[in-house]
Amino acid sequence: SRAKTDSLLRPACGAGALFSSFATFLQLGLIVLALHPPSLAVVTTPLAAGALVALASAGFALLRQTKSGNATVGLGQPFNIPHALGFATLLTAVTIAVSFAQAHWGTKIAALGAALAGLADAHAAAGSALSMVANGQIDTGRVVFLVLLGLSTNTLSRSVIAFTSGGTAYGWRVSLGLFGATLGAWVAT
């Protein structure tokens, strides 16, 4: 990745990753609004707290980027097709596995399902939890736990990706912001 190969771009890449985390919190709020609006009562405060921490982390990273000088950025591929196909395959496999498990064991494994789905996609974990509450399978009070559990495992997988794709300095920079935002959401519950 560019964060690994060009140290001048590392702060900008870190800021971009953290702005993406901020967007994740906003998107989770929209998913709640679309799938089960009554859950907003229990999910809004944690998501807002996480979003604020993510935005502050991204802003700090952006300030570091502007102080580190201007790097010339060449055009490149916007994404890697084999990686995108691999991610789509992983997400499909996790979705199938979670759906199968829920069909056989019901809501008893809701936390496991949210955690596994979150490894690939926090949005999928939230969608699954919100579908269960909308169908009356779990109560609204439990949905915040499941949404944040999916977000937590997603934070873990995104941190691993940050270290492996961007190197140690990039990994620490991004991971601290990601875990800070997730912790902010949990503290606000």
Side-chain angles (χ1 to χ4, degrees):
S1 89
R2 290 184 177 187
K4 196 174 208 174
T5 59
D6 190 342
S7 63
L8 288 176
L9 289 177
R10 194 172 297 132
C13 292
L18 294 170
F19 277 117
S20 172
S21 178
F22 169 70
T24 295
F25 283 97
L26 298 181
Q27 292 164 354
L28 287 173
L30 291 173
I31 290 169
V32 174
L33 183 64
L35 296 180
H36 193 253
S39 292
L40 284 171
V42 295
V43 176
T44 298
T45 301
L47 291 182
L52 287 174
V53 174
L55 185 60
S57 297
F60 179 73
L62 189 61
L63 287 175
R64 283 185 47 91
Q65 185 268 329
T66 58
K67 290 179 182 176
S68 66
N70 293 328
T72 303
V73 179
L75 296 177
Q77 285 187 310
F79 61 92
N80 182 312
I81 291 176
H83 289 170
L85 291 173
F87 177 75
T89 302
L90 172 65
L91 185 57
T92 301
V94 168
T95 301
I96 290 169
V98 169
S99 295
F100 175 81
Q102 285 180 346
H104 284 78
W105 295 292
T107 61
K108 295 174 187 167
I109 62 143
L112 177 62
L116 288 175
L119 285 171
D121 183 23
H123 307 88
S128 176
L130 290 159
S131 293
M132 284 190 285
V133 75
N135 292 326
Q137 295 172 311
I138 61 171
D139 61 49
T140 305
R142 188 155 181 229
V143 76
V144 70
F145 170 76
L146 296 175
V147 168
L148 293 182
L149 180 61
L151 179 70
S152 298
T153 57
N154 187 257
T155 296
L156 179 63
S157 63
R158 289 173 72 181
S159 292
V160 168
I161 290 167
F163 276 101
T164 57
S165 69
T168 305
Y170 176 78
W172 280 113
R173 182 174 287 132
V174 171
S175 294
L176 289 174
L178 292 174
F179 279 105
T182 302
L183 179 61
W186 278 106
V187 168
T189 57

